[in-house]
């Protein structure tokens, strides 16, 4: 088969895939699909496939993303060594399910374990089956109170931008007390 014939065949396959994806997305149709473009057909198909995956993804407590469900013992039942070991095992298991914990270095092992136990595992989230999709969990909770992020994680430029935007002086920068090298994935 010649290269031009193979290229044409691939273009036809991409157009057929595009039509199928648009048909499957029809029940979810809103303005976001009409805003697609102009993209090369293959890129548009990737975008449409990711939208379809999002729409079809079940919303489950994160603990139920695991089989059997991930159930941790209450922190009060663990000594420091057990908690540390179980914390790191849990962090690795979360990462295997493409869950990344961001901004954890201000939390002690006990505080991070409690956050996972109390807030993350029972949280209902869309479970998207895609090797490119990661759920980033903001452990500094920047949305509600930016002080932790400003104090420990924000760059000087981000701190100045926040100050210009709010008219407030950011808290002094302090290195986080519990530096960790967690598995990560870029945003």
């Amino acid at each position: 088969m010649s290269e031009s014939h193979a290229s044409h065949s691939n273009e036809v396959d991409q157009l057929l895939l595009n039509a199928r994806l648009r048909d499957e997305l029809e029940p979810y149709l809103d303005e976001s699909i009409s805003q697609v473009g102009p993209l090369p057909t293959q890129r548009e198909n990737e975008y449409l496939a990711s939208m379809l995956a999002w729409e079809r993804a079940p919303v489950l407590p994160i603990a139920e993303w695991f089989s059997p469900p991930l159930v941790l013992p209450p922190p009060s039942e663990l000594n420091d060594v057990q908690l540390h070991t179980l914390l790191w095992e849990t962090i690795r298991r979360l990462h295997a399910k493409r869950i990344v914990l961001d901004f954890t270095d201000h939390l002690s092992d006990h505080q991070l374990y409690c956050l996972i136990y109390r807030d993350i595992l029972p949280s209902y989230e869309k479970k998207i089956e895609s090797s490119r999709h990661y759920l980033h969990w903001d452990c500094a909770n920047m949305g509600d109170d930016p002080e932790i992020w400003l104090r420990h994680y924000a760059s000087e430029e981000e701190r100045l931008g926040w100050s210009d935007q709010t008219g407030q002086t950011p808290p002094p920068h302090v290195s986080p007390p519990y530096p960790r090298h967690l598995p990560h994935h870029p945003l």
Side-chain angles (χ1 to χ4, degrees), residues 65-76:
W65 290 21
F66 298 85
S67 182
L70 180 55
V71 178
L72 298 178
S76 60

Side-chain angles (χ1 to χ4, degrees), residues 2-50:
S2 72
E3 191 172 309
S4 65
H5 181 70
S7 175
H8 178 71
S9 177
N10 184 46
E11 288 176 36
V12 170
D13 290 344
Q14 290 295 320
L15 289 171
L16 291 170
L17 176 59
N18 188 276
R20 183 180 61 78
L21 288 168
R22 286 181 173 276
D23 284 347
E24 290 181 41
L25 278 166
E26 178 117 15
Y28 312 107
L29 191 61
D30 63 17
E31 69 280 351
S32 62
I33 289 189
S34 63
Q35 295 173 2
V36 174
L39 293 172
T41 307
Q42 184 171 346
R43 291 277 318 265
E44 182 177 325
N45 288 348
E46 291 168 6
Y47 175 74
L48 294 174
S50 71

Side-chain angles (χ1 to χ4, degrees), residues 66-159:
F66 298 85
S67 182
L70 180 55
V71 178
L72 298 178
S76 60
E77 294 179 5
L78 302 171
N79 65 36
D80 289 346
V81 173
Q82 292 169 321
L83 186 135
H84 177 81
T85 302
L86 190 52
L87 171 65
W88 280 96
E89 179 185 316
T90 303
I91 288 168
R92 285 188 287 279
R93 291 184 69 191
L94 289 170
H95 190 260
K97 291 292 185 184
R98 296 178 310 281
I99 300 167
V100 176
L101 305 178
D102 294 320
F103 310 115
T104 66
D105 295 350
H106 67 287
L107 299 169
S108 68
D109 281 359
H110 186 266
Q111 291 168 321
L112 182 54
Y113 183 92
C114 288
L115 179 74
I116 293 168
Y117 176 81
R118 180 192 65 234
D119 295 334
I120 296 175
L121 292 180
S123 177
Y124 281 78
E125 298 290 337
K126 281 201 172 259
K127 182 182 181 202
I128 299 174
E129 298 293 341
S130 164
S131 61
R132 297 195 310 183
H133 180 270
Y134 280 74
L135 172 64
H136 285 264
W137 194 277
D138 174 8
C139 297
N141 200 13
M142 292 186 307
D144 292 342
D145 182 6
E147 183 170 338
I148 292 170
W149 177 72
L150 289 165
R151 183 175 303 280
H152 298 293
Y153 305 104
S155 67
E156 196 55 39
E157 183 179 317
E158 291 167 326
R159 292 164 54 79

